[in-house]
């Protein structure tokens, strides 16, 4: 079968097209003929060799086929969305049954792929970690990105009283307003507290979802109100936060939590009620996943380069 694989660690240039034997499903698994595969930063980190241990680590000796999300057909004709432990950049992939869900007819492949890692992340940030309550104010950093844009919409769906988006450009802030944010502001660290409080009608906020880290996270703590919660799920700034002192958390009665979707999927599987809820909301038009460019499987290098360069918004998709 057709596949993209890497025989050594490195950048996008190490991805090579190859003809390889097709996978065989074992007990509790399903073989899927791949219609589309999702592209993630986790794939880039894997082929770069940044994950030698843990859920992203390649299994066994190289070469390996990357990719963790697929949409396709089963032998009995079901159109499904599945989380692949490894091997999604291929014409066929094996998916554990607990990581598989049947797609509603109304949901496109790109939208479905945007919901798997990014959508589940947004759902758990709000429901499982921040435990958002009706009427609370929610700030979403990087709100025009894949996870951020879904978090904005889900915060509204879950009853948030006021949703404030941060983004780096006027265009991105306009998009955040279009998908349901009540206000959108620049997310830079300097002047952060003043901008966010002004957007929240002069009041400190209840919840902040942060994937930037560093000075932005430090500044975000200043905007939290009594019993406010900040949830960190990334550090795109590649800088270290310095204001997370236990004494401060106690004195100000604020809390900081963290979340990463991969260990949760490894423990519980991906094909549960949360993913079904996200797909249902999308099928009914209440949730709008941000879908980006589609590439032929053989152009996986270009997809990785575009993702790294942030040249195309939305979920990037490979088609075998």
């Amino acid at each position: 079968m057709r596949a993209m694989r890497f025989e050594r660690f490195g950048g996008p240039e190490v991805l090579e097209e190859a003809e390889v034997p097709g996978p065989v499903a074992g007990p509790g698994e399903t073989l899927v003929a791949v219609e589309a595969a999702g592209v993630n930063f986790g794939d880039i980190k894997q082929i770069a060799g940044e994950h030698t241990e843990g859920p992203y680590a390649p299994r066994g000796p190289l070469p390996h086929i990357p990719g963790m999300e697929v949409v396709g057909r089963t032998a009995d004709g079901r159109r499904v969305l599945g989380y692949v432990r490894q091997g999604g950049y291929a014409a066929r992939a094996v998916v554990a049954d607990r990581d598989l869900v049947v797609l509603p007819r109304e949901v496109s492949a790109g939208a479905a792929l945007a919901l798997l890692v990014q959508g589940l992340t947004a759902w758990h940030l709000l429901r499982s970690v921040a435990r958002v309550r009706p009427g609370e104010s929610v700030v979403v950093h990087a709100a025009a990105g894949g996870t951020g844009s879904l978090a904005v919409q889900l915060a509204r769906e879950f009853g948030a009283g006021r949703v404030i988006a941060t983004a780096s450009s006027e265009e991105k802030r306009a998009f955040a307003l279009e998908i349901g944010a009540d206000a959108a502001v620049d997310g830079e660290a300097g002047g952060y507290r003043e901008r966010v409080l002004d957007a929240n009608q002069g009041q400190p906020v209840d919840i902040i979802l942060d994937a930037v880290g560093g000075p932005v996270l430090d500044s975000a703590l200043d905007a939290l109100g009594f019993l406010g919660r900040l949830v960190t799920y990334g550090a795109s700034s590649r800088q270290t936060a310095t204001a997370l002192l236990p004494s401060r958390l106690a004195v100000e009665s604020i809390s900081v939590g963290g979340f990463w979707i991969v260990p949760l999927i490894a423990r519980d599987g991906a094909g549960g009620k949360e993913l079904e809820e996200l797909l249902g909301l999308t099928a009914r038009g209440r949730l709008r996943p941000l879908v980006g460019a589609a590439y032929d499987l053989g152009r996986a290098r270009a997809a990785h380069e575009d993702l790294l360069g942030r040249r195309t918004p939305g979920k990037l998709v490979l088609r075998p």
Side-chain angles (χ1 to χ4, degrees):
M1 69 171 184
R2 188 183 186 206
M4 293 296 290
R5 67 183 186 181
F6 60 100
E7 298 185 354
R8 57 188 173 87
F9 294 118
E13 73 281 354
V14 304
L15 284 170
E16 298 282 352
E17 186 169 347
E19 284 292 322
V20 301
V24 177
E29 296 178 331
T30 296
L31 183 65
V32 176
V34 177
E35 171 190 340
V39 178
N40 287 286
F41 274 107
D43 305 336
I44 292 172
K45 290 178 179 292
Q46 185 188 80
I47 71 167
E50 294 184 25
H51 291 285
T52 56
E53 297 180 358
Y56 283 148
R59 298 179 182 178
L62 298 177
H64 278 288
I65 300 169
M68 63 183 76
E69 305 164 329
V70 296
V71 166
R73 293 275 181 186
T74 63
D76 58 6
R78 293 173 295 155
R79 186 166 178 260
V80 295
L81 168 66
Y83 180 84
V84 186
R85 306 292 162 156
Q86 194 165 274
Y89 290 12
R92 294 187 295 281
V94 167
V95 183
D97 292 341
R98 71 175 194 155
D99 295 327
L100 205 65
V101 63
V102 175
L103 280 185
R105 189 174 51 227
E106 302 87 350
V107 180
S108 70
L113 291 166
L115 292 174
L116 190 44
V117 170
Q118 295 166 331
L120 282 175
T121 295
W123 193 99
H124 282 288
L125 287 171
L126 289 161
R127 286 289 202 207
S128 302
V129 188
R131 298 181 183 271
V132 62
R133 295 187 291 265
E136 289 191 311
S137 52
V138 178
V139 179
V140 179
H141 293 173
T147 301
S149 63
L150 291 168
V152 166
Q153 296 173 73
L154 287 174
R156 174 68 64 219
E157 185 71 26
F158 296 161
R162 190 162 180 81
V163 181
I164 300 163
T166 78
S168 59
S169 70
E170 288 290 347
E171 181 181 10
K172 291 178 178 179
R173 292 192 284 272
F175 172 74
L177 293 171
E178 180 187 336
I179 60 174
D182 295 293
V185 300
D186 190 297
E188 288 295 319
Y192 177 100
R193 181 180 186 276
E194 292 74 17
R195 290 191 300 274
V196 167
L197 265 62
D198 182 63
N200 198 38
Q201 300 171 329
Q203 298 299 311
V205 297
D206 298 303
I207 293 169
I208 299 175
L209 307 181
D210 174 63
V212 181
V216 170
L217 189 154
D218 289 336
S219 297
L221 291 174
D222 296 333
L224 285 174
F226 182 70
L227 299 182
R229 291 91 76 198
L230 184 148
V231 185
T232 174
Y233 66 103
S236 62
S237 68
R238 297 184 178 271
Q239 295 177 279
T240 302
T242 60
L244 287 174
L245 301 175
S247 58
R248 177 184 183 183
L249 302 183
V251 169
E252 298 182 15
S253 296
I254 59 177
S255 60
V256 175
F259 183 72
W260 186 28
I261 188 66
V262 173
L264 185 142
I265 291 176
R267 188 190 72 173
D268 298 338
K273 61 179 176 56
E274 297 89 353
L275 186 55
E276 291 179 354
E277 179 182 351
L278 291 168
L279 288 166
L281 289 170
T282 302
R284 298 193 299 275
R286 297 180 67 90
L287 191 61
R288 175 183 155 194
L290 183 57
V291 181
Y295 304 74
D296 179 79
L297 180 64
R299 297 188 64 240
R301 291 187 197 178
H304 280 215
E305 289 165 354
D306 288 346
L307 184 60
L308 281 166
R310 303 184 186 276
R311 288 191 284 268
T312 177
K315 188 68 181 179
L316 302 189
V317 171
L318 301 177
R319 295 191 179 275

